[in-house]
Amino acid sequence: VVELGGIWRAQLARPPDAPIVSLSLPTRIDGSTLSDRIVFRREFDVPERVQGGRWSLEIEGVLAPTEIVLDGRTIARSPGAGDSLSVDVDDALPIAGRHEIALIMDPADPLGVSGAVRLVAVPRLSIESVLPAFSAQDGILTVHCVVRNAGAQDDRYTLELELLDGLDSLGRADGDELSIAPGAAMTAQVRIRTPHAVPWTPDNPRVYRLVCRAFRDGELLDARSMWT
């Protein structure tokens, strides 16, 4: 994660020689009396591209209508009113090194950003959620995993699930190899036979750790765990 909060340069869009002031984001100000749009600008360094992943720009709580510009190119617009957005900027950041981001905001009250601004390395293929359902009668745990392909090409993966009681494995299962289209999300189902697991009750408040992993040709792509 590359945090982009902190000190930004702020300047009215016109005239070109308008004074520059330093403001810290997140911030919230009254911009209703401004004569033109205000530009928040800062430079930042991008590390080497995460292997197999993509860069996503996340902005929480945009308070005014805003144009988001990266290295002079408009990449997104926000309507403001507390809007939060996540923008895939991998194609806009083809190389590591120094880059510049600008937030061009309309005059409004309030104006600014109320939350975090950051660059996040997102796995090209990621597990978004894991939903288990246990059948005590059959001793089978059915797990639905939502997997997303943030890449620009078709991808394929295999899921591996394991139920743990401390360090002891109560059961594991591998799903079939599946193909997923670029930009798509899909739900995959895997069933684990767990004859020794017991469901939670007030008299037996026992919980287990469920681990879901996604692989491609033996390479770990993403993992997510939860208590169930």
Side-chain angles (χ1 to χ4, degrees):
V1 176
V2 179
E3 296 290 348
L4 299 179
I7 302 300
W8 290 54
R9 305 187 308 278
Q11 181 183 29
L12 287 176
R14 286 192 300 266
D17 59 349
I20 299 174
V21 298
S22 295
L23 288 175
S24 180
L25 292 186
T27 191
R28 181 188 183 102
I29 60 177
D30 181 357
S32 60
T33 61
L34 295 176
S35 59
D36 204 333
R37 296 194 297 171
I38 187 170
V39 182
F40 292 89
R41 182 181 285 111
R42 68 158 293 172
E43 294 181 336
F44 62 96
D45 292 315
V46 174
E48 291 294 332
R49 182 191 305 263
V50 59
Q51 184 176 6
R54 299 180 68 83
W55 289 114
S56 176
L57 175 66
E58 297 183 353
I59 307 177
E60 298 175 352
V62 182
L63 299 176
T66 299
E67 177 183 357
I68 298 107
V69 179
L70 188 59
D71 291 337
R73 170 188 166 195
T74 299
I75 58 169
R77 298 180 189 274
S78 169
D83 175 53
S84 294
L85 69 159
S86 177
V87 184
D88 186 325
V89 295
D90 199 68
D91 293 337
L93 298 172
I95 59 173
R98 180 60 58 97
H99 296 269
E100 183 184 74
I101 183 174
L103 308 178
I104 307 175
M105 297 189 180
D106 291 352
D109 179 23
L111 179 151
V113 175
S114 63
V117 182
R118 55 186 169 236
L119 195 66
V120 179
V122 179
R124 189 176 74 190
L125 190 140
S126 60
I127 302 168
E128 287 197 339
S129 64
V130 179
L131 180 63
F134 180 63
S135 171
Q137 181 178 355
D138 300 327
I140 292 177
L141 182 69
T142 302
V143 185
H144 293 89
C145 300
V146 177
V147 178
R148 179 173 296 276
N149 178 9
Q153 299 177 343
D154 288 347
D155 208 342
R156 55 189 172 82
Y157 67 95
T158 301
L159 290 178
E160 175 193 277
L161 284 97
E162 186 173 18
L163 189 68
L164 297 168
D165 183 9
L167 297 177
D168 297 326
S169 177
L170 297 183
R172 72 179 291 279
D174 296 331
D176 296 328
E177 184 177 78
L178 299 173
S179 179
I180 183 170
M186 67 180 297
T187 301
Q189 176 181 295
V190 180
R191 305 177 76 196
I192 309 175
R193 186 169 297 279
T194 57
H196 301 296
V198 294
W200 184 96
T201 66
D203 296 328
N204 183 28
R206 194 181 192 95
V207 293
Y208 306 101
R209 189 162 70 96
L210 176 63
V211 181
C212 179
R213 303 180 182 92
F215 291 89
R216 185 198 312 112
D217 296 332
E219 175 193 0
L220 179 64
L221 303 174
D222 195 20
R224 182 180 286 260
S225 66
M226 64 174 295
W227 294 97
T228 184

